[in-house]
Amino acid sequence: MDDPSQPPPLPTQSPPPRHGCLTTWLILMLVANAATAIVTPFSVAGMRNAGLQPSPIGIGVIVICAIANIAFAIALFRWQKWGFYGFAVTTAIALITNLSLGVGIGRTVLGLIGIVLLYWVLNMGGTNKAWPYLK
């Protein structure tokens, strides 16, 4: 006999399938951003030797964006749409910061490829397309 004081059991639903390219891209973003957060503070001398003008604030912004991107990748693994929008914001911030550090416009614009590829892998895969599953 059912106990009316107990809520009905929730249906068990497996997570939607994730396309392999999306999983690969998100793992790559996790690794790349972790490396960026760790390596960037130790790269100031090399940046100066390359003719850039790194400031402590600029370096800090890049490190914070990289750490935020780790959180955004985890959010996308958990099917959260705000993870994509977070990547878009940090991409814009990194673009402005790179220009202020003296990175050329060509190399700076290449940084936009990451967000374009992320959007693409979120929308590829036919029935495994991830974008419609994002909450």
Side-chain angles (χ1 to χ4, degrees):
M1 182 161 195
D2 291 335
D3 183 1
S5 66
Q6 296 295 320
L10 296 174
T12 57
Q13 181 181 5
S14 62
R18 181 180 293 112
H19 195 276
C21 289
L22 174 59
T23 302
T24 302
W25 186 249
L26 290 175
I27 290 170
L28 180 65
M29 292 181 89
L30 284 169
V31 171
N33 281 288
T36 298
I38 294 167
V39 171
T40 298
F42 299 107
S43 303
V44 173
M47 289 179 200
R48 287 194 177 114
N49 289 340
L52 302 177
Q53 302 101 23
S55 69
I57 292 173
I59 298 301
V61 168
I62 295 297
V63 169
I64 289 168
C65 284
I67 292 168
N69 283 344
I70 293 169
F72 299 143
I74 292 168
L76 287 170
F77 267 116
R78 294 182 177 174
W79 303 100
Q80 300 297 313
K81 192 178 279 190
W82 60 265
F84 173 79
Y85 295 122
F87 271 117
V89 168
T90 57
T91 298
I93 292 169
L95 184 125
I96 294 165
T97 304
N98 284 336
L99 287 173
S100 74
L101 292 175
V103 177
I105 190 75
R107 283 184 40 200
T108 299
V109 171
L110 282 176
L112 298 175
I113 291 174
I115 194 71
V116 170
L117 287 174
L118 177 58
Y119 183 78
W120 179 59
V121 296
L122 285 168
N123 284 286
M124 69 182 285
T127 58
N128 290 346
K129 183 189 254 189
W131 189 264
Y133 292 117
L134 297 178
K135 303 177 242 170

